[in-house]
């Protein structure tokens, strides 16, 4: 059974800092890994998707890496802003049409 | 990418009543949809996989007689919480995975905006 762990559970940083969020998974046989953002009381916003054959994806100030063999992914946020404050979830999918297994999330607070 | 809607966005009901939540894939045919539940300050937990034209597949520990799922068409799945109790209060989110009969394969998981259920 796939298990996904995210560290740290919470993170508070001053505005402008670069930061890294970690995601680890126990079964390396994944189809893809997706990073989401969730604001309080809201649904999920997809940030980045990494296919199993890829090592990283970039979108603006966000960069996600994937090391499938070690079961790890990182989400790098450059020059953090207060608007980045949210809970960040990673999810791994076993196959193209299959269900996703979520980590517990990292709650990020960026202080002005 | 696929657009997924949910209705209602929030609902408050009395204990013992049943509540139906709709999940629609607006521009994508989905043979499969997933229903997740999220309690406050916790992550998403998969409840069941909704299959068009056949019975839903429930995760361990989820009561299929309490959470009725109907996937009547390629664009609509419904979750009915029967005889709701306060402990059923949660955020329910549906998602559409990356494959469908349309022949177009997306790689992402597309989520609805969620439904906040509060049972008094």
């Amino acid at each position: 059974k796939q298990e996904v762990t995210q560290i740290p559970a919470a993170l508070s940083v001053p505005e402008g800092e670069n930061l890294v969020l970690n995601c680890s998974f126990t079964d390396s046989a994944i189809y893809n890994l997706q990073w989401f953002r969730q604001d309080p009381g809201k649904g999920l916003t997809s940030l980045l998707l990494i296919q199993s054959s890829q090592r990283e994806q970039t979108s603006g100030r966000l960069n996600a890496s994937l090391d499938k063999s070690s079961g790890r992914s990182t989400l790098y946020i450059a020059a953090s802003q207060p608007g980045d404050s949210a809970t960040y979830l990673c999810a791994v999918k076993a196959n193209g049409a299959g269900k996703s297994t979520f980590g517990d999330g990292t709650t990020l607070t960026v202080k002005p | 990418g696929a657009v997924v809607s949910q209705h209602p966005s929030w609902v408050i009901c009395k204990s013992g009543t049943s509540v139906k939540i709709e999940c629609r894939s607006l521009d994508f045919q989905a043979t499969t949809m997933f229903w997740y539940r999220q309690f406050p300050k916790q992550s998403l937990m998969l409840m069941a996989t909704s299959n068009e034209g056949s019975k839903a597949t429930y995760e361990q520990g989820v009561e299929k007689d309490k959470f009725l799922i109907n996937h009547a068409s390629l664009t609509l799945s419904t979750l009915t919480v029967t005889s709701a109790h306060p402990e059923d209060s949660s955020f329910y989110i549906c998602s559409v995975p990356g494959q469908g009969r349309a022949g177009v394969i997306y790689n992402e998981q597309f989520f609805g905006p969620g439904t906040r259920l509060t049972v008094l």
Side-chain angles (χ1 to χ4, degrees), chain A residues 3-112:
Chain A
E3 293 182 4
V4 181
T5 304
Q6 290 186 244
I7 295 173
L11 181 63
S12 181
V13 300
E15 182 176 5
E17 269 202 12
N18 303 324
L19 57 101
V20 175
L21 307 181
N22 298 290
C23 173
S24 61
F25 46 94
T26 55
D27 186 350
S28 62
I30 67 171
Y31 182 80
N32 64 34
L33 184 146
Q34 200 165 350
W35 281 93
F36 295 90
R37 169 189 172 133
Q38 185 177 32
D39 293 287
K42 304 291 186 182
L44 277 69
T45 301
S46 179
L47 297 173
L48 287 165
L49 171 76
I50 309 179
Q51 294 292 85
S52 63
S53 58
Q54 298 174 324
R55 293 194 63 85
E56 67 176 341
Q57 284 287 328
T58 299
S59 175
R61 293 183 293 109
L62 305 179
N63 175 276
S65 69
L66 174 64
D67 184 342
K68 204 172 68 163
S69 61
S70 66
R72 293 179 184 175
S73 175
T74 61
L75 178 66
Y76 175 82
I77 302 177
S80 59
Q81 303 170 358
D84 295 331
S85 298
T87 296
Y88 291 81
L89 298 162
C90 74
V92 298
K93 188 189 285 191
N95 58 64
K99 61 189 180 185
S100 291
T101 302
F102 281 82
D104 288 339
T106 294
T107 299
L108 172 65
T109 302
V110 181
K111 294 181 277 190

Side-chain angles (χ1 to χ4, degrees), chain B residues 97-111:
Chain B
Q99 278 184 301
R101 285 187 187 175
V104 179
I105 298 177
Y106 295 98
N107 292 318
E108 295 187 46
Q109 186 94 269
F110 300 99
F111 284 82

